[in-house]
Amino acid sequence: MPVKSRRAEYKELTRGAVLQAAARLFAERGFAATTIDDVAEAARVSKGSVYYHFADKARLFEAVFTDGQSRLVETVATAAARHDAPWDQLIAALDAYMDGTVADPAHRTLLQQAPTALGVERCRELDAEMGLPAVRALLENLAATGELAVDSIDMLTLLLFSALCEAALTAGAAPDPPRARDEATTVLKAIMTGLHRPPA
């Protein structure tokens, strides 16, 4: 295993410090109110060091956002993997996704800011790269056992993922996010139950 040079380690540590500081500031102040100078000061690095790793504030926000989404995808995958039956995997994944997006106030704020910070089209591209494959895999497993009541997995993947995202955003913006999360999760499970064909 190759050993990192001291310079490479410093770059990695600097990037990590910038991401950590940016994540906190974006969550506390919002994307529009946070400047690169603010991030540099909070990370205790120069402004040039921030720009070395990130071309502009939007790219910095994207890195913070995708880092959080990656961790969420891993959490969802771990929750699904605890079960053997495809239907149980899907329900566990749904619960983990809603818990992960709503329970963490910082990530909840990032989700709400993403369309403005990155643009709707870029958010869709990131969804296609990170979230859609996971949802599609769960639905394909369900279809493979004959438990899915529809044949159009492509359309169902898009619609289910869109519903998940909207549920997370709506619950996160509610006056009582935990309660709204529970209500949204109940509705999503009811929708999916209507598409489930239990094994004989």
Side-chain angles (χ1 to χ4, degrees), residues 175-192:
D176 186 349
R179 179 178 178 180
R181 174 200 61 206
D182 291 344
E183 292 176 349
T185 302
T186 298
V187 171
L188 287 169
K189 288 180 180 179
I191 292 172
M192 285 309 304

Side-chain angles (χ1 to χ4, degrees), residues 45-93:
V45 300
S46 68
K47 187 175 178 179
S49 293
V50 178
Y51 280 120
Y52 176 84
H53 292 283
F54 306 101
D56 52 36
K57 189 169 71 168
R59 298 288 77 75
L60 175 56
F61 183 94
E62 181 174 317
V64 170
F65 179 70
T66 55
D67 184 57
Q69 288 293 85
S70 294
R71 289 198 302 271
L72 177 60
V73 169
E74 290 177 4
T75 298
V76 170
T78 299
R82 295 193 183 105
H83 301 271
D84 296 323
W87 175 250
D88 293 336
Q89 290 175 354
L90 180 63
I91 295 302

Side-chain angles (χ1 to χ4, degrees), residues 79-146:
R82 295 193 183 105
H83 301 271
D84 296 323
W87 175 250
D88 293 336
Q89 290 175 354
L90 180 63
I91 295 302
L94 190 156
D95 281 328
Y97 177 83
M98 290 302 296
D99 286 344
T101 54
V102 177
D104 182 355
H107 190 62
R108 197 167 68 216
T109 301
L110 291 177
L111 281 174
Q112 293 165 352
Q113 295 180 60
T116 299
L118 304 177
V120 174
E121 188 59 35
R122 182 56 182 154
C123 286
R124 286 177 177 170
E125 290 173 356
L126 292 174
D127 287 343
E129 294 171 11
M130 304 177 70
L132 287 174
V135 173
R136 182 181 179 86
L138 289 166
L139 293 176
E140 286 179 339
N141 288 342
L142 200 61
T145 61

